[in-house]
Amino acid sequence: MSNIDDENASAEVPAEQKDSFRSFIATLAQFSGDLSSLTCPSFLLSSVSLLEYSQYWGDHPKLFADISNGKTPEDRLLNVTRWFISTLYGSYTSRSTAVGMERKPYNPILGEQYFAKWTGDEETGDTILSAEQVSHHPPIMGFHLENKKAGVTLEGHCGQKSRFAMPAGIDVSQTGHAIVTLAEPKEHYLVTLPSLNIRGMVTGRPYVELSGSTYIVSSTGLLTTIEYSTRGYFSGERHSFKATLKPIDGGSAFYTAQGLWSGASTFTDVKKNETSLFFDSEADKSVPPEIKPLSELGPLESHKLWASVTNAINARDYAAASREKSQIEEAQRALARARKERGETQADALQIFELVDEDNDETGKAFAALKEELINAVGAKALKEDDNRPHWRLRRR
């Protein structure tokens, strides 16, 4: 691990931080277990919280609202699949495209909050996002995206388990899931999350690739299987995918889609043998959400909570960023000790979401049923969940 390419690394790693960078890479190589417990050097930090990444579910509010407009179950599954593909560019490659590398976001504190809104027109309606860090050990975020006018709701949670992977990369297994619910017709869709491969660590310019497969299973008995390629197996280009939409019982495909999840893709109506544009992230730009000014945010909202760290990073004062970050984290350790002394759990610290019983929750029941169908069709590897089966839902006020 000592043969770091200094010329490549210098493009992104400040000269005065090279020794620290080498030490960090060496620590990664020697570390066993989940990397979330490691402290990342401040010069490799992004200036946003990981909780803010939940906004990428709403990058394309019109596609989200359009899910319910499909005339048939097959068309609605196609709409869900298109919307899901549209979220991938923002979630996994937009940052490295914009600044040349992927930086590590802040680890959200327990109870951290993030709210966003996309104002739509009379036809589309508004889309509202609420997110909260519902667990710190292990780190899990809960999210709720809703367009009441369109009758489309997304609920779910996401966690990460990371490990060092040779040569000089990080593999991230995402736990959790998302459930899309349509009010009319009443349908549910279980969406699983992709595995991430972070590469380019040695050169100091990390980037994300997706690998393996994800699935979307509908309550109407249909299944989308999406396969990701890290080396262009399908199209000869990185960030490739291929999707097959068919009955979950193993019937023939009625739609297929393929291309780049970070660029353009096409879909084919198998019966008609007609191919059309599926989604193009370059032509259909994401819609920035509306966020309240810093002065109007609460103390637990991401932008307000991490403002001092963000200001220091933007000023390239990495020593100050480390100090400010440590103060926030130490305050959280003190709160955790106080909760333990009072006999409270992490769930007691939440304000926006609540821990629910899967068997007494409508979405939880839908998840259990769809999970069983998915595992019967694909196998247990299709879904990565916490062994305790936790579910969090937005509190209804």
Side-chain angles (χ1 to χ4, degrees), residues 261-284:
W261 55 262
S262 60
S265 54
T266 60
F267 79 98
T268 299
D269 184 322
V270 176
K271 185 175 181 180
K272 296 180 180 179
N273 195 28
E274 296 177 352
T275 299
S276 308
L277 178 68
F278 189 50
F279 179 72
D280 186 346
S281 65
E282 296 181 3
D284 191 354

